Amino acid sequence: MDTNDDPNITFNEKGVCNHCENYKYEEENFVFSGETGKKRFDDFIQHMKADGKNKPYDCIIGISGGVDSTYLALIAKENGLRALGVHCDNGWNSELAINNIESIVKTLDMDLYTYVIDWEEFRDIQLSYFKANVIDIEAITDLAFRAVLEKTSIKYNQKYFLSGDNIVTESVLPKAWICKDYQNLINIHKKFGKIPLKTFPILNQVRSAINKKSNPTVNVALLNLIEYKKDVVKERIIKELGWRDYGGKHFESVFTRFYQGYILPNKFNVDKRKAHLSNLICSGQMTKEEAIEEMKKPIYDPKMYQVDREFVLKKLGFTDKEFDNYIAAPQVEHKVYGFTQSIYAKYPILKIARPVINLLK
């Protein structure tokens, strides 16, 4: 990556960028192998089983049908965890993703809770993000899923989330590409949206803070405690779970595929493969020379692009001209629409009670 990809990238005196330095720090401090990793892994498994006693489940796993969550579900089953799979359906699942999810839960005998987002509301938020010309359209799904996971944990009295997040494949990602902020979403929709959000899952800032006090949850990144090599993992889930490859990271969603394969590079000059491949270089799963060869391949299969474009534009209600005008329009930074304020800034009256709250803590 360079300054064309990430405007905030920096380089030290040796020409090493901040992403590589950050990866090294995270790997040294949060990735554990050998006996240390095994002990931490086993400890978490025992804690989850103990907490799950007299409950229907030991933990919750977000299931998308992608590599990370699929392997995590397999690991959980192998270690005797009774995991509840949670899936958030935003209306963009590919047929292959649906088949993969069905194969996973059936083979592993896993219960699955699916939250179906109201399509008209979701579509209206997506169109609002298009009109806002901001980069992180995928934030809508990520924020909804976060809210669904929290609400599910309360519903089933669950303390532990098994997270597919992992440093060896997902540490490198420029902040300029992402904005996971609820208030930003609300503000953008308020400015451009047409449909009231009656059912879209959004975390209330105050209520969420209260829930975390009364029902504290723990995110467990088990993949940081075991050897995690993408190619080996893919072979295993294909063989044991009948999983089928999507051909790209997070391509289980048709919209994500179109967003990463066409919208990002053509409107925002972002090719996310650079971050994904850089991460694999940092973790020693790929050489820089191999990554450069990979980057020479087309980002999008031309035939798939044509099919996806027609499908996405029709589903969102765009004409070809309207969409081309959107691609040509300049980017607007997320910060233009505002971010979440602290509880004390949002509710000034709480400042009066702050000393008492701190004392009670």
Side-chain angles (χ1 to χ4, degrees):
M1 292 190 295
D2 54 37
T3 52
N4 289 321
D5 308 303
D6 178 11
N8 302 316
I9 197 169
T10 59
F11 299 87
N12 65 17
E13 65 279 358
K14 296 181 180 179
V16 179
C17 82
N18 58 297
H19 294 292
C20 292
E21 291 181 319
N22 182 66
Y23 175 84
K24 184 178 180 181
Y25 170 82
E26 291 191 346
E27 184 182 59
E28 289 176 349
N29 289 276
F30 305 113
V31 178
F32 302 93
S33 58
E35 288 302 314
T36 303
K38 185 177 187 306
K39 186 178 185 311
R40 286 175 178 259
F41 181 91
D42 291 341
D43 284 347
F44 270 120
I45 297 295
Q46 294 310 312
H47 282 307
M48 285 185 276
K49 288 182 178 179
D51 188 75
K53 192 174 182 180
N54 300 322
K55 296 179 183 179
Y57 307 104
D58 299 318
C59 58
I60 290 174
I61 303 178
I63 300 291
S64 66
V67 177
D68 301 334
S69 66
T70 300
Y71 187 57
L72 196 59
L74 178 60
I75 292 297
K77 185 68 175 182
E78 276 187 342
N79 286 274
L81 289 175
R82 297 167 302 139
L84 171 64
V86 178
H87 178 65
C88 200
D89 184 353
N90 64 4
W92 287 106
N93 281 341
S94 67
E95 185 177 342
L96 182 52
I98 295 171
N99 291 336
N100 274 344
I101 292 171
E102 289 178 349
S103 179
I104 294 163
V105 297
K106 183 179 180 180
T107 305
L108 299 178
D109 192 25
M110 172 187 288
D111 287 346
L112 179 69
Y113 170 73
T114 299
Y115 185 95
V116 181
I117 302 176
D118 181 272
W119 166 246
E120 293 304 322
E121 290 186 24
F122 191 83
R123 175 178 174 273
D124 197 54
I125 304 173
Q126 281 195 304
L127 291 175
S128 297
Y129 270 58
F130 276 102
K131 292 172 185 175
N133 286 294
V134 291
I135 188 171
D136 194 3
I137 307 174
E138 290 285 66
I140 307 168
T141 300
D142 295 333
L143 291 169
F145 201 14
R146 189 185 301 171
V148 168
L149 284 173
E150 180 166 319
K151 291 177 180 180
T152 306
S153 72
I154 295 169
K155 180 178 180 179
Y156 291 97
N157 189 24
Q158 292 297 302
K159 178 179 179 180
Y160 292 97
F161 294 134
L162 290 193
S163 170
D165 293 343
N166 65 92
I167 289 166
V168 297
T169 71
E170 293 189 330
S171 174
V172 179
L173 192 64
K175 291 181 180 179
W177 299 357
I178 55 177
C179 179
K180 316 300 183 191
D181 186 273
Y182 283 103
Q183 193 61 51
N184 195 248
L185 182 152
I186 292 168
N187 293 348
I188 289 173
H189 181 260
K190 185 176 181 180
K191 184 175 179 64
F192 299 105
K194 297 180 179 180
I195 298 175
L197 302 184
K198 296 180 179 179
T199 64
F200 184 80
I202 296 176
L203 288 181
N204 177 281
Q205 193 177 6
V206 175
R207 192 178 299 122
S208 180
I210 293 172
N211 289 338
K212 287 178 180 177
K213 288 292 183 183
S214 60
N215 184 45
T217 55
V218 180
N219 282 317
V220 184
L222 285 181
L223 299 183
N224 287 332
L225 306 179
I226 58 177
E227 186 178 53
Y228 190 62
K229 294 190 179 298
K230 209 77 167 183
D231 290 342
V232 175
V233 166
K234 279 188 178 183
E235 289 180 10
R236 189 173 174 198
I237 60 178
I238 288 170
K239 181 180 179 180
E240 298 182 33
L241 300 178
W243 184 85
R244 293 169 60 195
D245 201 344
Y246 302 105
K249 191 172 178 64
H250 301 310
F251 276 18
E252 57 266 28
S253 160
V254 177
F255 180 78
T256 300
R257 185 167 64 212
F258 187 68
Y259 168 71
Q260 291 190 12
Y262 186 80
I263 294 176
L264 278 181
N266 287 280
K267 181 176 176 66
F268 300 103
N269 194 34
V270 167
D271 187 338
K272 287 193 78 174
R273 293 181 303 172
K274 285 193 175 184
H276 298 153
L277 295 174
S278 294
N279 212 132
L280 294 177
I281 294 169
C282 287
S283 61
Q285 299 188 43
M286 176 178 279
T287 66
K288 187 171 183 176
E289 290 71 27
E290 289 171 337
I292 290 172
E293 286 303 309
E294 187 68 25
M295 287 296 300
K296 291 178 182 179
K297 298 177 182 178
I299 190 171
Y300 217 146
D301 176 83
K303 291 182 180 179
M304 180 177 287
Y305 161 71
Q306 289 298 334
V307 173
D308 285 354
R309 178 186 171 107
E310 183 178 345
F311 178 75
V312 171
L313 266 60
K314 184 177 181 180
K315 194 172 175 72
L316 289 173
F318 276 120
T319 64
D320 281 314
K321 185 176 180 180
E322 287 172 338
F323 183 73
D324 290 339
N325 287 340
Y326 159 73
I327 293 294
Q331 176 182 354
V332 177
E333 299 291 334
H334 278 272
K335 64 183 179 182
V336 170
Y337 302 102
F339 298 127
T340 299
Q341 297 175 309
S342 71
I343 292 178
Y344 294 108
K346 193 172 183 179
Y347 304 99
I349 194 171
L350 291 179
K351 289 182 179 179
I352 301 172
R354 192 169 190 173
V356 178
I357 294 171
N358 290 335
L359 185 62
L360 289 173
K361 285 182 181 179

